[in-house]
């Protein structure tokens, strides 16, 4: 990459010509807006001189001869690639995970020099090498190169923010851009706009690009689900997965939505009349809301600002209406009306997560024909409170049927649902207590009902109680709703059942008009009608209760609580809904909500084996504040189990009790250690809970000793176990006694040293006299947190009797965590297994739209080793429960 060279032509062959080689510098590639362009293949060469253009050599030779030097041979193109910071170097295979690191070498280009350049907007090194070979073989298939000049004031090769001339050409649908993860122009506004378009198209085709709350809309940062991060206009792992999954599906099959396309549900996401532009722009909505909020904060507005406020308010309402249309139940369920067909002839050219011209053309065909992802998708549901939830149709159909049935059977509140679909980007590979990395929520087949804050009660407005049962050795729960239904005797059961039969028949006839939504409800109605007809009294006995022994949760009880007093439905309703106590008399029985759910194939799950009843918590001795908090919490326990165990080493176990340990002392001492380490750093070392002070008779050390003594006097009446070489000191003393010792010890040390600090040896040399041993200079104190501690008579037994020393682990009683009860969780358990065995959990994620490659930590060679979500392979291969 050096400059031109050579010797002058003509008669000057005997002369030697010398000239300066231009300075070459490591060069960065950036767009004209200043964004560095990573992962960009660049084919470049110095722009060859045109015939008649003088070379550097000819200019110098012209000083000796007037004969013109002909232009030399045209140099070949060199293939380079930019690293993550935009610097140009030798190409690294994008199929290697190292491609995202800074390239180990770099090309140097000449500032102010023009270069012929071809830019390749594709992650394939094989493609780049093929283009390089064909260009250097003389191919004209790639058009004319761009002439780009390295800036004279900085070693930067600037590239316009435009797709024109990039190789290969992208789809017209995306204005010529080839779109992929970690693409060079990702930070450029024109490309962000096209990614937004792509995300709208993918969402319209039912490929997930968003969050658990808005799975088919990208997140602009306003969603409560932050697990995947903002991705509006960003080609993230969700977008890559959606493209890759679409490319896989488009090879063979699609789902034809009846009435789909410009006049169907797709039109809620894509504006067919505006060249397939996004119909919903949550990023713009967020920006307008922020602007309006700023205007509202101002005390006085100008006339222009008042007009602006009115305009913004109108635009926000329009955008919110678009979001509502895209996510409403009718639009979501419309995607279920249709059937699977063979995929159209327009197909992607590869399944690699890259949106090329062929993939763009295929996407446009799917949009025009009103197609969607084949197989499982997500649909939205609204609970009685107006909460929007997404789930697979199989679960949604069950939930819809469940809610309608309980209302028909007297529980007028329906089914409240707090949570359904969960992002796969949460709890990756591991989860905290009460959650699961392999949660069925991530498959769209589970739901958590109306839990109030604290996980102990149901939400206000949903009067449901739960009772405890043991099934196959595991605790499960049965839900009972306070229903407007009286319980008949055996003789008049048929008469009491007649109104229920009438309501069920009306419901059946009404729901028959929407057979897709009612797919689970209609068979359940028929089953109930058959049960009533066969045995009215048996029907009431199966589905209703006059009273129950409601479970009363207690975090400090070994079993997580006890059965409460027998309570009627009216009594429970009055307690649960105090504002409607006057209506309590109308509630004559409990409806067995769980039994009704089972008609819809909704199964309950077991509680965690432990953790929701009284538990224990183990804290390291170094975590004094945490330990003190745990002890204080344990003091609120109403049980007699207050044993504290201190584990020391592999086999030593010391016992105490919660009341016997001074939590306040621990908390205060933790602060003292922190302050001492900061304020007396040269003389104090800490190994929590111990403090070691180094003493000497220098003025500075004496001052430090006084500071330590002052801190100890704050604990004058507390006991400390001390380690010193001074045998005159008892090992256990009060804080006041140790403070006095530490103040006086430096003077004793000084007295131990000889008066003459320099001693003459026999040789005549003068050397310093010996100082007291280092062990004589240190005092190590360990606080004794046990109230009423009495030191053993044998001083050698003291260390073994002192609780809480460095390295100890302290186990204290702890309250249970009610999140482990799971009384609220129901799922389509019947779908998790076939006749032979349990299905794999990962297979359900694939069904709903994920791909195995994108769920893993590294997406592998098929996707150029881009980063995936991060699941270990073993996690995806576990069975679903």
């Amino acid at each position: 990459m050096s400059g031109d060279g050579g010797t002058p032509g003509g008669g000057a062959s005997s002369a030697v010509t010398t000239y300066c080689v231009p300075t070459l510098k490591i060069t960065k590639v950036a767009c004209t807006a200043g964004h560095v362009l990573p992962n960009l293949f660049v084919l470049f060469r110095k722009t060859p001189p045109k015939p008649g253009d003088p070379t550097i050599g000819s200019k110098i030779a012209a000083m000796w001869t007037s004969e013109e030097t002909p232009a030399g041979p045209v140099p070949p193109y060199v293939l380079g690639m930019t690293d993550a910071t935009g610097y140009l170097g030798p190409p690294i295979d994008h199929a290697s995970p190292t491609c995202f690191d800074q390239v180990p070498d770099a090309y140097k280009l000449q500032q102010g020099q023009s270069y012929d350049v071809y830019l390749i907007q594709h992650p394939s090194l094989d493609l780049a090498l093929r283009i390089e070979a064909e260009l250097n073989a003389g191919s004209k298939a790639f058009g004319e190169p761009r002439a780009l000049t390295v800036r004279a004031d900085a070693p930067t090769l600037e590239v316009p923010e435009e797709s024109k001339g990039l190789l290969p050409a992208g789809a017209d649908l995306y204005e010529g851009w080839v779109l992929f993860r970690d693409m060079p122009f990702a930070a450029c506004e024109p490309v962000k706009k096209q990614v937004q378009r792509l995300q709208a198209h993918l969402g319209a085709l039912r490929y997930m690009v968003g969050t658990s709350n808005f799975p088919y809309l990208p997140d602009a940062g306003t969603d409560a689900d932050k697990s995947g991060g903002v991705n509006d206009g960003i080609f993230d792992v969700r977008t890559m997965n959606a493209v890759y999954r679409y490319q896989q599906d488009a090879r063979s099959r699609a789902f034809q939505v009846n009435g789909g396309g410009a006049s169907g549900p797709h039109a809620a996401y894509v504006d067919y009349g505006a060249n397939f532009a996004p119909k919903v722009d949550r990023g713009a909505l967020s920006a307008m809301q922020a602007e309006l909020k700023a205007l509202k904060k101002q005390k006085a507005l100008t006339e222009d600002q008042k007009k602006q406020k009115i305009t913004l308010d109108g635009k926000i309402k329009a955008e919110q209406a678009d979001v509502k249309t895209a996510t409403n139940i009718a639009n979501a369920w419309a995607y279920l009306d249709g059937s699977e067909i063979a995929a159209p002839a327009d197909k992607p050219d590869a399944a690699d997560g890259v949106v090329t011209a062929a993939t763009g053309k295929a996407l446009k065909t799917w949009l025009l024909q009103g197609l969607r992802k084949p197989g499982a998708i997500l649909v939205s549901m609204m609970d009685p409170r107006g909460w929007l939830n997404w789930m697979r149709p199989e679960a949604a159909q069950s939930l819809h049927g469940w809610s309608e049935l309980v209302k028909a059977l007297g529980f007028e509140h329906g089914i409240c649902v707090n949570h359904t679909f969960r992002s796969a980007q949460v709890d990756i590979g591991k989860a905290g207590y009460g959650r699961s990395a392999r949660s069925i929520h991530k498959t769209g087949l589970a739901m958590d009902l109306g839990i109030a804050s604290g996980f102990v009660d149901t939400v206000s407005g949903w009067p449901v109680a739960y009772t405890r049962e043991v099934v196959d050795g595991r605790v499960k729960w049965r839900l009972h709703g306070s229903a407007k239904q009286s319980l008949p005797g055996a003789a008049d059961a048929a008469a009491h059942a007649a109104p229920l039969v009438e309501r069920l028949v009306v419901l059946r006839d009404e729901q028959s008009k929407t057979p897709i939504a009612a797919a689970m409800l209609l068979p359940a109605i028929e089953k109930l009608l058959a049960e009533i007809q066969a045995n009215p009294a048996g029907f009431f006995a199966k589905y209703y209760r006059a009273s129950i022994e409601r479970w009363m949760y207690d975090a400090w009880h070994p079993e997580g609580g006890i059965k409460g007093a027998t309570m009627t439905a009216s009594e429970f309703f009055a307690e649960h809904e105090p504002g409607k106590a006057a209506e309590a008399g109308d509630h004559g029985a409990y409806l067995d909500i769980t039994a009704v759910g089972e008609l819809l194939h909704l199964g309950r799950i077991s509680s965690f084996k432990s953790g929701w009843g009284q538990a224990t918590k183990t804290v390291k001795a170094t975590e004094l504040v945490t330990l003190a908090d745990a002890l204080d919490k344990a003091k609120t326990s109403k049980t007699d189990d207050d044993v504290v165990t201190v584990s020391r080493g592999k086999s030593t176990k010391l016992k105490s009790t919660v009341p016997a340990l001074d939590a306040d002392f621990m908390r205060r001492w933790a602060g003292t250690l922190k302050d001492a380490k900061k304020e007396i750093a040269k003389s104090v070392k800490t190994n929590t809970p111990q403090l070691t002070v180094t003493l000497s008779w220098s003025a500075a050390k004496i001052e430090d000793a006084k500071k330590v003594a002052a801190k100890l006097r704050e604990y004058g009446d507390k006991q400390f176990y001390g380690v010193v070489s001074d045998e005159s000191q008892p090992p256990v003393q009060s804080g006041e006694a140790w403070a006095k010792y530490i103040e006086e010890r430096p003077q004793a040390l000084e007295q131990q040293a000889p008066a003459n600090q320099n001693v003459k040896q026999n040789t005549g040399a003068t050397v310093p006299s010996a100082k007291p041993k280092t062990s004589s200079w240190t005092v190590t104190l360990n606080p004794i947190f046990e109230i009423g501690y009495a030191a053993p008579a044998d001083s050698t037994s003291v260390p073994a009797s002192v609780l809480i020393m460095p390295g100890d682990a302290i186990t204290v009683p702890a309250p249970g965590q009610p999140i482990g009860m799971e009384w609220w969780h129901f799922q389509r358990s019947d779908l998790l297994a076939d006749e032979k065995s349990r299905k794999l959990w990962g297979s359900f994620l694939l069904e709903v739209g994920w791909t195995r490659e994108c769920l893993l930590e590294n997406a592998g060679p098929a996707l150029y080793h881009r980063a995936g979500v991060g699941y270990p392979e073993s996690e995806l291969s576990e069975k679903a429960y």
Side-chain angles (χ1 to χ4, degrees):
M1 295 300 118
S2 62
D4 294 312
T7 57
S13 60
S14 61
V16 177
T17 302
T18 60
Y19 54 90
C20 296
V21 177
T23 300
L24 305 176
K25 292 188 176 180
I26 296 173
T27 301
K28 182 181 291 187
V29 182
C31 73
T32 49
H35 305 116
V36 297
L37 304 179
N39 304 318
L40 177 66
F41 287 117
V42 181
L43 282 161
F44 66 98
R45 70 181 182 190
K46 276 190 176 181
T47 302
K50 298 177 182 177
D53 286 352
T55 64
I56 294 177
S58 65
K59 290 178 182 178
I60 297 174
M63 294 186 295
W64 308 98
T65 176
S66 60
E67 189 173 332
E68 182 177 324
T69 302
V74 176
Y77 284 94
V78 176
L79 177 62
M81 188 193 82
T82 56
D83 68 3
T85 58
Y87 283 100
L88 184 63
I92 295 177
D93 190 354
H94 276 63
S96 166
T98 61
C99 68
F100 301 108
D101 298 331
Q102 187 169 356
V103 294
D105 196 1
Y107 288 137
K108 297 180 179 180
L109 275 62
Q110 179 183 338
Q111 289 182 236
Q113 172 66 47
S114 175
Y115 288 85
D116 284 353
V117 172
Y118 287 93
L119 303 174
I120 299 173
Q121 56 167 349
H122 196 286
S124 172
L125 176 59
D126 289 340
L127 174 63
L129 290 171
R130 179 172 64 80
I131 294 174
E132 177 192 28
E134 292 183 22
L135 280 173
N136 286 331
S139 173
K140 303 296 183 183
F142 305 103
E144 294 297 318
R146 298 185 183 207
L148 299 177
T149 301
V150 179
R151 285 174 51 177
D153 60 339
T156 301
L157 190 68
E158 286 191 333
V159 177
E161 279 188 311
E162 60 184 27
S163 62
K164 183 179 179 182
L166 298 178
L167 299 176
D172 291 340
L173 186 61
Y174 305 112
E175 298 186 358
W177 293 99
V178 172
L179 306 174
F180 55 95
R181 184 125 190 247
D182 302 317
M183 58 189 147
F185 295 87
C188 301
E189 288 304 319
V191 173
K192 287 183 177 181
K193 183 178 179 181
Q194 298 312 312
V195 174
Q196 286 178 320
R197 288 168 62 85
L198 170 66
Q199 290 169 329
H201 300 162
L202 291 168
L205 299 178
R206 264 18 198 179
Y207 291 93
M208 294 185 297
V209 293
T211 66
S212 59
N213 298 318
F214 297 93
Y216 299 115
L217 293 172
D219 180 30
T222 56
D223 203 295
D225 177 4
K226 306 295 183 185
S227 59
V230 175
N231 73 329
D232 186 38
I234 299 172
F235 204 110
D236 67 335
V237 67
R238 287 166 287 185
T239 308
M240 176 178 71
N241 175 80
V243 171
Y244 182 47
R245 179 58 183 267
Y246 165 74
Q247 290 172 328
Q248 291 177 323
D249 290 340
R251 290 172 171 176
S252 58
R253 60 197 184 113
F255 186 98
Q256 178 67 65
V257 179
N258 291 336
S263 59
H266 302 73
Y269 292 82
V270 179
D271 190 342
Y272 282 74
N275 194 27
F276 303 94
K279 195 68 175 291
V280 177
D281 190 340
R282 295 178 72 203
L285 173 60
S286 177
M288 289 189 295
Q289 287 173 327
E291 189 177 352
L292 182 62
K293 185 177 180 180
L295 285 173
K296 287 181 177 179
K297 285 184 177 180
Q298 295 187 28
K299 293 182 178 179
L301 297 178
T302 64
E303 288 302 315
D304 287 343
Q305 287 176 323
K306 290 178 181 178
K307 293 178 181 178
Q308 181 187 9
K309 183 172 176 288
I310 294 172
T311 301
L312 279 172
D313 190 56
K315 288 182 177 180
I316 288 171
K317 288 179 179 178
E319 195 66 45
Q320 288 173 330
D322 287 340
V323 173
K324 189 173 182 179
T325 300
T327 58
N328 70 28
I329 297 173
N331 197 77
W333 285 77
Y335 277 100
L336 298 179
D337 185 11
S339 58
E340 287 199 10
I341 61 171
D346 289 333
K347 301 183 186 301
D349 51 353
D352 58 1
V354 180
V355 183
T356 58
T359 295
K361 183 180 179 183
L363 283 165
K364 185 175 181 179
T365 297
W366 278 49
L367 289 169
L368 287 170
Q369 294 185 12
L371 306 180
R372 68 142 168 101
K373 171 189 173 295
I377 61 170
L378 300 171
V379 296
S380 59
M381 285 289 292
M382 196 80 73
D383 92 331
R385 299 166 297 175
W387 288 28
L388 186 72
N389 291 287
W390 291 83
M391 61 193 81
R392 276 182 62 157
E394 300 93 325
Q397 289 163 337
S398 292
L399 175 58
H400 169 69
W402 199 11
S403 193
E404 292 299 321
L405 267 189
V406 297
K407 286 189 287 186
L409 295 176
F411 184 68
E412 62 184 7
H413 309 277
I415 301 296
C416 285
V417 179
N418 280 17
H419 173 56
T420 52
F421 181 59
R422 185 176 301 165
S423 168
Q425 292 177 279
V426 173
D427 300 331
I428 301 167
K430 60 181 180 180
Y433 179 75
R435 297 171 69 92
S436 171
R438 298 189 302 277
S439 173
I440 303 304
H441 284 290
K442 296 181 184 180
T443 72
L445 291 171
M447 60 196 75
D448 289 342
L449 305 190
I451 321 163
S453 176
F455 299 95
V456 174
D457 294 314
T458 52
V459 292
S460 177
W462 198 57
V464 173
Y466 52 92
T467 56
R468 181 179 183 269
E469 298 177 349
V470 178
V471 181
D472 297 327
R474 297 293 299 274
V475 174
K476 290 189 175 183
W477 307 93
R478 186 167 294 277
L479 273 56
H480 308 268
S482 187
K484 289 184 176 180
Q485 176 65 46
S486 58
L487 277 183
D492 55 356
H496 275 73
L500 292 176
V501 170
E502 184 177 348
R503 289 203 295 266
L504 289 172
V505 170
V506 170
L507 179 63
R508 180 190 62 190
D509 295 344
E510 183 181 283
Q511 292 291 319
S512 296
K513 300 173 185 177
T514 55
I516 294 176
M520 295 299 295
L521 172 59
L522 296 176
I525 292 176
E526 295 299 338
K527 186 173 182 179
L528 279 176
L529 289 173
E531 288 185 33
I532 295 173
Q533 184 177 9
N535 185 356
F539 163 79
F540 281 106
K542 180 178 180 180
Y543 293 103
Y544 294 93
R545 300 284 187 279
S547 61
I548 61 171
E549 293 177 310
R550 178 185 172 198
W551 187 256
M552 307 303 292
Y553 179 75
D554 182 355
W556 289 104
H557 193 280
E559 294 186 353
I562 59 172
K563 290 182 179 180
T566 300
M567 180 177 280
T568 65
S570 60
E571 290 170 340
F572 171 70
F573 183 87
E575 178 187 296
H576 194 276
E577 305 293 328
K580 298 180 179 179
E583 302 175 19
D586 298 334
H587 297 77
Y590 290 101
L591 174 65
D592 190 331
I593 302 288
T594 301
V596 178
E598 289 168 353
L599 290 170
L600 286 307
H601 298 286
L602 287 169
R604 52 186 175 166
I605 64 172
S606 303
S607 295
F608 279 66
K609 289 183 178 180
S610 61
W612 51 277
Q614 180 171 330
T616 59
K617 180 174 185 176
T618 301
V619 184
K620 295 179 181 179
T622 53
E623 302 171 305
L624 284 181
V625 174
T626 302
L627 177 57
D629 291 343
L631 288 167
D632 283 344
K633 186 173 286 188
K635 290 174 184 176
T636 66
S637 170
K638 297 177 183 178
T639 67
D640 297 329
D641 185 5
D642 59 0
V643 175
V644 175
T645 302
V646 179
S647 300
R648 184 170 297 163
K650 294 182 178 180
S651 58
T652 303
K653 302 284 186 183
L654 305 176
K655 298 290 184 180
S656 185
T657 62
V658 172
L661 294 174
D662 192 337
D664 182 62
F665 184 11
M666 291 178 192
R667 197 175 285 107
R668 290 170 54 210
W669 182 249
T672 297
L673 290 179
K674 183 178 179 180
D675 293 343
K677 192 174 180 180
K678 181 179 179 181
E679 300 167 6
I680 323 172
K682 292 184 177 181
S683 298
V684 166
K685 291 184 179 179
T686 61
N687 183 17
T688 308
Q690 291 181 351
L691 176 148
T692 298
V693 57
T694 301
L695 305 172
S696 181
W697 55 85
S698 69
K701 291 290 185 182
I702 289 174
E703 285 303 311
D704 283 352
K706 290 179 179 179
K707 291 179 182 178
V708 173
K711 291 187 178 298
L712 284 172
R713 287 196 170 95
E714 295 175 13
Y715 308 92
D717 60 341
K718 304 296 183 183
Q719 296 188 86
F720 290 82
Y721 161 59
V723 179
V724 293
S725 62
D726 187 349
E727 296 180 357
S728 67
Q729 295 299 310
V732 177
Q733 300 184 60
S734 68
E736 177 61 39
W738 282 117
K740 183 179 179 183
Y741 176 77
I742 287 170
E743 280 185 328
E744 295 175 353
R745 184 62 175 161
Q747 183 179 0
L749 289 171
E750 184 177 21
Q751 291 172 355
Q752 290 178 25
N756 181 10
Q757 289 297 303
N758 293 301
V759 179
K760 226 173 197 183
Q761 295 186 333
N762 294 334
T763 59
T766 301
V767 297
S769 62
K771 295 180 179 179
K773 291 182 179 180
T774 304
S775 61
S776 301
W777 302 1
T778 60
V779 178
T780 298
L781 299 179
N782 196 107
I784 297 175
F785 298 119
E786 190 172 10
I787 298 170
Y789 170 83
D794 182 4
S795 61
T796 60
S797 301
V798 170
S801 70
V802 175
L803 301 175
I804 311 177
M805 298 180 74
D808 288 352
I810 303 93
T811 301
V812 301
Q817 299 180 59
I819 193 174
M821 295 172 69
E822 296 282 9
W823 56 260
W824 51 82
H825 182 107
F826 288 80
Q827 60 189 37
R828 282 295 302 269
S829 299
D830 61 309
L831 300 179
L832 304 183
D834 55 27
E835 294 178 357
K836 295 181 179 179
S837 63
R838 284 269 166 186
K839 294 182 181 179
L840 300 183
W841 177 75
S843 67
F844 288 98
L845 270 64
L846 304 189
E847 288 178 12
V848 82
W850 282 99
T851 60
R852 180 170 292 273
E853 291 86 347
C854 291
L855 285 169
L856 298 175
E857 184 175 0
N858 186 296
L863 291 159
Y864 306 98
H865 281 285
R866 272 22 185 187
V869 174
Y871 284 92
E873 177 72 42
S874 59
E875 193 82 5
L876 301 180
S877 301
E878 292 286 345
K879 293 180 179 179
Y881 285 95

